[in-house]
Amino acid sequence: MHNQLTCEQVSALLSFYVEDKLSKKLSEYVKQHLECCPICMEKYIKMQNMINRFMDIQNQEIDNPYATKQYEDFKSNLSAYVDNELDDFENIKIKKIAISNPLARQDLENIYTFKKLLHSSFEKTKNDLKTDYSKNIISQLQHEDSKEKIQDPFFKVVITFFTMITFIVAGVIYILYF
Ligand SMILES: [Zn+2]
């Protein structure tokens, strides 16, 4: 299939590509673009290097007394924890380690900071986008976001509350005026 992504679109998608968050098809398009575009490839390498440096810093902590077997377990579950993929029991285990182990706590803070960074760079790129195709990609991604928001229990309660109020007001108006 012909690769149609522009450099702008690839920059917008790059952080998701590095994090392996794109669909298989989209990820393949980005990969094809990188193979034939040295400018985007350079950006990709820079981003990858940044992540590798981040990993190196973590590896240097190996001599630290807190670098225990428990900490290793924590690290291997960290990304699943941040992505909300663990069950309750494992979640509590991760939280306990994060409280008692400063290395673990630092990792958790780093990963949240990193996620925020990716998100803000994505927001910035989004504002720079012009073409309809990239807007389409972005709106698909946002659509996934908004689905999550609706599942938020607080959001549900608010919606239910306002629906009830609407019905009560409508009922009162009906009784008074009809
Ligand atoms: Zn390019």
Side-chain angles (χ1 to χ4, degrees):
M1 196 180 285
H2 187 60
N3 179 4
Q4 310 232 329
L5 290 182
T6 66
C7 290
E8 274 186 326
Q9 289 162 352
V10 170
S11 326
L13 296 172
L14 208 52
S15 57
F16 294 99
Y17 178 73
V18 170
E19 273 206 307
D20 202 16
K21 289 274 164 74
L22 297 177
S23 71
K24 221 174 156 188
K25 205 170 166 187
L26 210 47
S27 168
E28 187 58 35
Y29 285 167
V30 173
K31 194 179 158 212
Q32 282 170 12
H33 182 99
L34 291 179
E35 277 164 4
C36 59
C37 174
I39 298 165
C40 291
M41 187 51 138
E42 204 190 315
K43 279 190 202 168
Y44 168 69
I45 290 171
K46 270 185 190 160
M47 197 174 271
Q48 195 68 61
N49 282 343
M50 191 177 96
I51 289 170
N52 288 345
R53 270 206 302 276
F54 177 73
M55 301 294 222
D56 280 350
I57 293 170
Q58 298 203 320
N59 288 338
Q60 284 163 14
E61 289 163 351
I62 227 91
D63 295 332
N64 193 297
Y66 287 105
T68 56
K69 170 84 180 63
Q70 189 198 42
Y71 174 60
E72 287 306 310
D73 289 346
F74 169 85
K75 277 210 289 194
S76 59
N77 279 323
L78 187 56
S79 131
Y81 172 75
V82 173
D83 290 335
N84 245 326
E85 285 162 3
L86 297 179
D87 62 34
D88 286 349
F89 176 73
E90 285 169 315
N91 270 331
I92 291 169
K93 220 168 86 181
I94 293 281
K95 274 180 199 157
K96 274 188 180 163
I97 300 171
I99 289 166
S100 62
N101 187 324
L103 277 185
R105 196 161 54 235
Q106 188 59 50
D107 281 347
L108 199 60
E109 276 166 21
N110 284 347
I111 202 162
Y112 278 122
T113 311
F114 185 63
K115 287 219 155 228
K116 237 186 260 170
L117 256 173
L118 284 184
H119 184 73
S120 66
S121 88
F122 167 64
E123 286 294 320
K124 190 188 161 297
T125 322
K126 191 180 75 177
N127 294 335
D128 298 341
L129 291 176
K130 306 265 180 326
T131 65
D132 285 340
Y133 185 77
S134 50
K135 274 183 190 155
N136 193 15
I137 299 172
I138 301 305
S139 78
Q140 276 173 14
L141 291 166
Q142 281 180 333
H143 186 63
E144 280 168 26
D145 269 352
S146 65
K147 265 192 288 184
E148 274 169 29
K149 265 177 213 144
I150 289 167
Q151 283 160 6
D152 184 327
F154 177 72
F155 200 70
K156 273 187 194 161
V157 170
V158 171
I159 286 181
T160 314
F161 180 73
F162 277 105
T163 312
M164 277 166 60
I165 293 290
T166 309
F167 275 110
I168 291 167
V169 170
V172 169
I173 290 174
Y174 184 81
I175 290 163
L176 288 179
Y177 295 98
F178 293 99

